[in-house]
Amino acid sequence: MLPCTVRLSVNDFKEKLVASMAALWMRWRASALGQRIAELPWWRRLPTGREWLWFAAAVPALSLLYVLLLIPFTPSISDLRKAKLEQPAQILSADGKLIGEFKRSNRQWVPLAQISPSVVKALVSTEDHRFYQHHGMDFTRTVGSMIHTLGGNPQGGSTITQQLARNLYPTEIGRARNLNRKLKEAITAFKIEALYTKDEILETYLNTVPFLYNAYGIEMAARTYFDKPAAKLSVLESATLVGMLKGNAYYNPVMNPDRAISRRNTVLAQMVKRGELKDDEFERLKKRPMRLNFERQEEPTGMAPHFSQQLRKWLIAWADKNDYNIYTDGLIVRTTLDSRLQSWAQQAVNRQMQTLQGITNNNWNHADGWNANNPLVVQLVRESDAFRKLVKNAKAESLSEQDAIKKLLADKSFMKELRTDKTRIQAGFVAMDPRTSAVLAWVGSRDYALDAFDHVAQARRQPGSTFKPFVYGAALKDGLKPEDKRRDEAVEIALPGGEIWRPSDASAPTGVELTLKDALAYSKNTVTAKLMQEVGPASVIKLAQSLGVRQSPLEAVPALALGASPVTLLEMVNAYGSLANQGGYIAPQLVTRIENSDGEVLAEFAPPKPQQAWDEEDNYALVDMLRGVIDKGTGRAIRRQYGIRADVAGKTGTTQGNADGWFILMHPQIVTGAWAGFNDARITIKSDLWGQGARSALPMVGDFMHRALASPLLNAKAQFVQPESSHWWGNLADRLREKLQQWVGTDEDAGKDEGKAPPPARPQPADTPVEVEESTPALPSSNASAAPPPAQGQDGPDLDTSPGLAPPSAQPSPTPSQPGSSTPPGWSDVGTQLPPLAPLPVPATPQ
């Protein structure tokens, strides 16, 4: 009886304790202090019972209101349909060939019926075994996940549908570990369940999940890791890929095979637990080693990858402005590019690069080439990532910087890789229709897979003598004529700081008076530098910008005459295109029309009216002067070696140390430009014979133009249009002026040269087999750039309004990390004599 008595006493005690506490509470509430506290606002005292009830009801109500407010900020149902049926924009050439597609990722969508059933079984068993019972969220699993997480063992509670929501909308939903993200994820999951069937959800999930190595979706994963389609995946292979979903990098079967096998066996065990795999089969399979057939799947780049990348930037801006999505809306973009011209351009670049690479490799094998005794090679080693890593870990390895350099210099594998990277010659090539500025061909590098940097629109390099036409054009604009003469003599130009710049040519001054036309044809630097002093840098800059050099800043210094300011190949070809278009500037055009997937026209882009940069007669006079470059000057190989007899004009260019080779050729229907060099301007071909623009860049243009002019795409008989002169008195004054100059010049020369030896003979006429030297002297030191400030407005208008051309970079000059940025600001032309060409007959001057 004692235990029962004790139990009753305890119960009595509890009742008495509760009653006494209630009495004390009531007495306290009735006291003066209790009444005073009860009168306080509710947030400064304990709530009453009624207030507790209101609070309990308000929490779920406010939570529901917050969820309703989040709904508009989650993807809409229409967006979910687009995600399942997304159609990438198709880029077509002017002749209807597919150039490329703008996909969100490297993915090939396959229906669920073409996916191995073992993949689906492994996925559901491991990631969401109640997948067919819930409607977007598994509340049992969610609560269990919360309990485990609070207990210090974090576990994921997301269903396949919730994971799909994250995969489809990483930006809208995010991956942060907070309640807001989980609510948005849950809302989107409910929407997906309301819209899709379970099979559609599985199909969409398996086609959107990432698997490393630029592989998205189960099809690309199967081809990447096992070199087979998803339909033929075995149980082991399916378990391996599904196992990666827990952590792609951590369970990467290529880099971490042991972890991948352990995770694969965990997936197999889950399949056994859910009745999808028999025990004896599991025991047999879990002992199997990992067998991969790995091959990285490269995304197709198309025939003009650099052109496509430039177009992508512009198209994204256009699509955002007009409420389209380039990855899902099935846009059809018709461009100006011609697939035939693009193919010929790529072939011309490949042939010339193969030739120049062989010459480069041979020249860098010489005693002063790639070895530890070359200071440049040592400097390149010092700038490498491998050197920085060694120095960073120097304390642990007890290495000094000199020891690190010696270690790398002795590493044959590293030195071979560094040499291959640094001495890989590169090229840029672009062709435009001068009448509309439509881009017809665009080759940004020799191989997009090896070097995606665009040497047409991104790389800024010194143009050398290809910039000289703007100097002669400014002279024509100031009233000079092509027949006006300047003496080929030594020149001294005073620079700020007391320096003297003495521009020179590849050969000594002849003392002969040359016409401006001949001085440009023979690329005489002495005459050009002196002419710049007459017209002034500001006039040259203004003309260059008016014609098309509008993205790169031009320094108003004397050295500008010889191409001291870096520019892009696209700008230069665009400017020469303005010359071929009678002086009318049109920004580069890449797109003609945009359609939807049904063929309905969404936008059309006609070329704008040309902006007249300057007088048409002066423009034609300059074009005629540039004809002389081809007929008898530094560009004679166009006629002699490539047999081009059409009406063409152009200019070669070479920079100091043969770091850059340029050539631009104009035809009434096409303007073509090429650049050859290395990403690091300190690296050269190490050959004066092959480093000249007439030997490095001209062959690409000659090869291309020979084929283009022989095709029906161009009229080989087209000629530059000569403007009609309406000022007969102006022509009469010009003739009188020429006679006066001849009379005065003859009288002065007779007195000045009396008793002196006759001057050297002037340069050979066009029909002589002797080649003309490229005159490319060194520029003054870099502090010469501190001379006069740039002319007002020299930056010019942007080109971002032209259809298809992306806006320019915010920084006008290349950053140090960009290829080409290592060119010192004071470098420019240094010339050597061109090698003799094959003795081909000189074609007749075109009529």
Side-chain angles (χ1 to χ4, degrees):
M1 295 297 293
L2 184 61
C4 183
T5 304
V6 172
R7 206 165 24 247
L8 290 174
S9 300
V10 170
N11 290 336
D12 292 342
F13 176 76
K14 285 183 179 180
E15 291 177 1
K16 291 180 179 180
L17 179 63
V18 171
S20 61
M21 290 181 66
L24 287 173
W25 172 254
M26 295 299 296
R27 193 177 302 119
W28 180 83
R29 289 291 303 270
S31 66
L33 178 61
Q35 292 178 2
R36 193 173 299 170
I37 291 175
E39 293 175 356
L40 294 174
W42 63 270
W43 60 84
R44 299 179 62 183
R45 57 177 170 76
L46 292 175
T48 63
R50 178 174 294 182
E51 288 170 347
W52 275 115
L53 290 175
W54 276 107
F55 179 75
V59 170
L62 290 174
S63 299
L64 178 61
L65 178 61
Y66 182 70
V67 170
L68 294 175
L69 291 174
L70 274 180
I71 292 177
F73 297 97
T74 57
S76 66
I77 292 178
S78 62
D79 287 335
L80 290 171
R81 291 189 185 277
K82 287 181 181 179
K84 179 176 181 292
L85 304 173
E86 69 176 32
Q87 301 176 40
Q90 293 188 331
I91 312 304
L92 303 181
S93 66
D95 52 327
K97 299 295 178 61
L98 181 65
I99 296 176
E101 293 182 320
F102 290 159
K103 295 181 178 180
R104 195 190 305 272
S105 56
N106 186 23
R107 178 177 64 207
Q108 182 178 339
W109 194 287
V110 290
L112 192 64
Q114 295 181 19
I115 299 175
S116 173
S118 60
V119 174
V120 176
K121 292 176 181 178
L123 176 66
V124 174
S125 298
T126 307
E127 296 293 323
D128 188 2
H129 66 275
R130 278 187 289 269
F131 173 71
Y132 292 101
Q133 283 76 49
H134 65 68
H135 299 285
M137 282 191 67
D138 187 344
F139 292 100
T140 302
R141 187 177 181 185
T142 300
V143 173
S145 171
M146 293 173 61
I147 294 173
H148 283 290
T149 301
L150 292 174
N153 182 27
Q155 289 189 4
S158 297
T159 63
I160 290 176
T161 314
Q162 288 174 281
Q163 294 179 43
L164 174 61
R166 287 201 304 268
N167 292 341
L168 289 180
Y169 306 103
T171 303
E172 295 90 334
I173 295 176
R175 295 186 180 274
R177 293 180 175 272
N178 55 48
L179 180 62
N180 187 66
R181 194 270 296 173
K182 292 297 292 184
L183 288 174
K184 291 169 70 175
E185 179 183 282
I187 294 170
T188 307
F190 286 129
K191 287 184 178 182
I192 293 174
E193 289 278 351
L195 181 65
Y196 289 173
T197 65
K198 291 292 185 179
D199 284 350
E200 287 176 325
I201 292 172
L202 287 173
E203 178 182 311
T204 307
Y205 177 86
L206 288 171
N207 278 287
T208 55
V209 68
F211 285 95
L212 295 180
Y213 302 109
N214 197 31
Y216 288 82
I218 192 66
E219 180 70 14
M220 297 308 296
R223 296 186 181 278
T224 299
Y225 294 98
F226 301 107
D227 195 24
K228 60 173 61 175
K232 296 184 178 181
L233 288 172
S234 66
V235 174
L236 274 180
E237 293 164 346
S238 300
T240 300
L241 295 179
V242 170
M244 290 180 66
L245 300 179
K246 186 176 178 64
N248 283 339
Y250 191 81
Y251 297 108
N252 181 354
V254 178
M255 303 301 295
N256 304 306
D258 292 338
R259 294 175 188 168
I261 290 175
S262 175
R263 178 62 183 167
R264 178 200 70 184
N265 292 341
T266 300
V267 173
L268 294 175
Q270 288 296 109
M271 294 177 69
V272 173
K273 185 177 181 180
R274 306 305 171 192
E276 301 293 351
L277 189 67
K278 296 180 179 179
D279 289 331
D280 57 345
E281 186 72 6
F282 169 67
E283 293 297 329
R284 182 177 62 86
L285 291 177
K286 73 177 183 179
K287 300 175 182 178
R288 296 278 185 87
M290 180 70 67
R291 289 192 175 92
L292 298 178
N293 191 355
F294 179 77
E295 183 179 358
R296 187 189 295 267
Q297 303 296 304
E298 299 294 342
E299 189 173 0
T301 57
M303 69 173 67
H306 292 94
F307 175 89
S308 297
Q309 290 305 313
Q310 181 72 17
L311 179 60
R312 183 198 292 264
K313 301 172 189 175
W314 175 85
L315 188 60
I316 288 174
W318 179 90
D320 289 344
K321 183 178 179 180
N322 294 276
D323 197 25
Y324 289 102
N325 189 318
I326 70 170
Y327 304 114
T328 63
D329 289 344
L331 299 176
I332 298 174
V333 183
R334 300 190 180 274
T335 70
T336 60
L337 199 81
D338 188 282
S339 67
R340 294 156 292 186
L341 294 176
Q342 178 68 22
S343 176
W344 296 337
Q346 188 67 63
Q347 292 172 22
V349 169
N350 291 344
R351 277 192 285 267
Q352 180 65 357
M353 290 298 99
Q354 185 176 3
T355 299
L356 294 180
Q357 191 66 65
I359 295 167
T360 300
N361 293 342
N362 181 66
N363 291 340
W364 277 90
N365 286 331
H366 295 164
D368 61 342
W370 195 269
N371 55 63
N373 297 323
N374 189 333
L376 176 57
V377 173
V378 176
Q379 181 61 29
L380 294 174
V381 171
R382 186 183 295 274
E383 295 171 0
S384 66
D385 291 335
F387 174 78
R388 283 191 287 269
K389 290 179 181 178
L390 277 180
V391 171
K392 185 177 180 180
N393 301 325
K395 293 182 179 180
E397 300 186 19
S398 300
L399 281 175
S400 65
E401 289 192 6
Q402 290 301 321
D403 292 336
I405 291 176
K406 290 179 181 179
K407 183 177 181 180
L408 291 174
L409 288 172
D411 188 338
K412 293 183 179 180
S413 176
F414 164 76
M415 292 299 290
K416 182 180 179 180
E417 182 180 351
L418 182 65
R419 171 176 173 170
T420 301
D421 178 60
K422 289 296 183 179
T423 62
R424 182 184 296 114
I425 194 165
Q426 284 297 342
F429 185 102
V430 66
M432 300 173 65
D433 185 338
R435 299 165 295 182
T436 61
S437 284
V439 174
L440 305 175
W442 183 313
V443 181
S445 69
R446 61 186 295 188
D447 189 338
Y448 183 82
L450 293 176
D451 190 350
F453 187 73
D454 190 353
H455 298 85
V456 170
Q458 285 182 285
R460 286 190 171 98
R461 304 296 288 250
Q462 291 180 328
S465 295
T466 56
F467 197 83
K468 289 178 181 177
F470 305 132
V471 179
Y472 288 84
L476 296 177
K477 194 175 179 182
D478 274 6
L480 297 181
K481 300 298 178 184
E483 294 76 21
D484 289 344
K485 296 182 179 180
R486 294 294 183 272
R487 188 177 297 278
D488 178 18
E489 59 187 3
V491 178
E492 292 186 353
I493 298 175
L495 300 176
E499 289 190 67
I500 300 296
W501 175 38
R502 298 178 177 87
S504 60
D505 291 300
S507 57
T510 62
V512 173
E513 283 198 334
L514 298 176
T515 63
L516 297 184
K517 184 174 182 178
D518 284 344
L520 180 57
Y522 303 131
S523 199
K524 302 298 291 186
N525 290 311
T526 52
V527 176
T528 306
K530 189 160 52 176
L531 199 60
M532 169 71 97
Q533 294 302 102
E534 294 182 33
V535 300
S539 298
V540 176
I541 290 174
K542 183 177 180 181
L543 178 60
Q545 290 177 341
S546 298
L547 289 171
V549 184
R550 302 191 173 195
Q551 297 299 307
S552 302
L554 300 175
E555 290 186 280
V557 295
L560 177 67
L562 307 185
S565 290
V567 294
T568 66
L569 177 61
L570 182 63
E571 289 176 293
M572 292 298 291
V573 173
N574 195 192
Y576 275 64
S578 299
L579 295 177
N581 192 34
Q582 304 177 62
Y585 164 78
I586 304 175
Q589 310 289 301
L590 274 65
V591 179
T592 58
R593 189 166 73 249
I594 300 178
E595 304 169 357
N596 62 17
S597 56
D598 297 324
E600 298 175 356
V601 177
L602 303 178
E604 286 189 285
F605 304 93
K609 183 180 178 181
Q611 304 171 18
Q612 197 62 35
W614 63 330
D615 183 74
E616 290 188 23
E617 292 187 7
D618 290 339
N619 185 85
Y620 183 80
L622 182 56
V623 170
D624 187 55
M625 293 171 70
L626 290 170
R627 282 178 174 139
V629 176
I630 305 303
D631 293 336
K632 61 183 179 182
T634 57
R636 293 176 63 206
I638 282 294
R639 299 208 186 280
R640 291 173 58 83
Q641 286 190 305
Y642 297 96
I644 296 174
R645 293 171 170 79
D647 187 9
V648 292
K651 189 71 186 76
T652 58
T654 312
T655 61
Q656 180 169 349
N658 303 313
D660 305 274
W662 294 71
F663 183 67
I664 304 176
L665 188 68
M666 296 182 291
H667 177 271
Q669 295 179 349
I670 191 170
V671 176
T672 307
W675 167 88
F678 298 85
N679 285 337
D680 191 326
R682 295 170 295 179
I683 305 293
T684 67
I685 297 176
K686 296 180 73 68
S687 168
D688 290 336
L689 188 150
W690 288 97
Q692 294 277 323
R695 280 293 192 177
S696 60
L698 184 146
M700 290 183 276
V701 174
D703 188 348
F704 171 84
M705 286 294 292
H706 175 78
R707 302 179 70 172
L709 289 170
S711 74
L713 299 177
L714 299 176
N715 179 8
K717 296 182 179 180
Q719 297 206 349
F720 293 106
V721 179
Q722 183 173 4
E724 296 182 2
S725 177
S726 59
H727 306 296
W728 62 269
W729 60 86
N731 294 335
L732 178 60
D734 290 342
R735 287 196 294 269
L736 291 174
R737 181 168 170 268
E738 290 173 10
K739 291 292 184 181
L740 180 62
Q741 285 182 338
Q742 291 175 3
W743 175 70
V744 173
T746 302
D747 189 32
E748 289 180 354
D749 292 343
K752 183 190 305 181
D753 297 333
E754 186 175 355
K756 294 184 179 181
R762 72 181 289 165
Q764 296 287 341
D767 56 355
T768 177
V770 179
E771 284 306 312
V772 179
E773 300 177 5
E774 175 79 40
S775 297
T776 50
L779 292 184
S781 58
S782 59
N783 58 3
S785 62
Q792 185 175 2
Q794 75 174 53
D795 289 341
D798 289 338
L799 301 184
D800 57 359
T801 56
S802 67
L805 190 66
S809 170
Q811 296 296 331
S813 300
T815 60
S817 61
Q818 292 174 323
S821 63
S822 59
T823 306
W827 283 20
S828 186
D829 303 337
V830 154
T832 54
Q833 185 169 350
L834 292 175
L837 297 173
L840 298 179
V842 181
T845 303
Q847 299 296 321

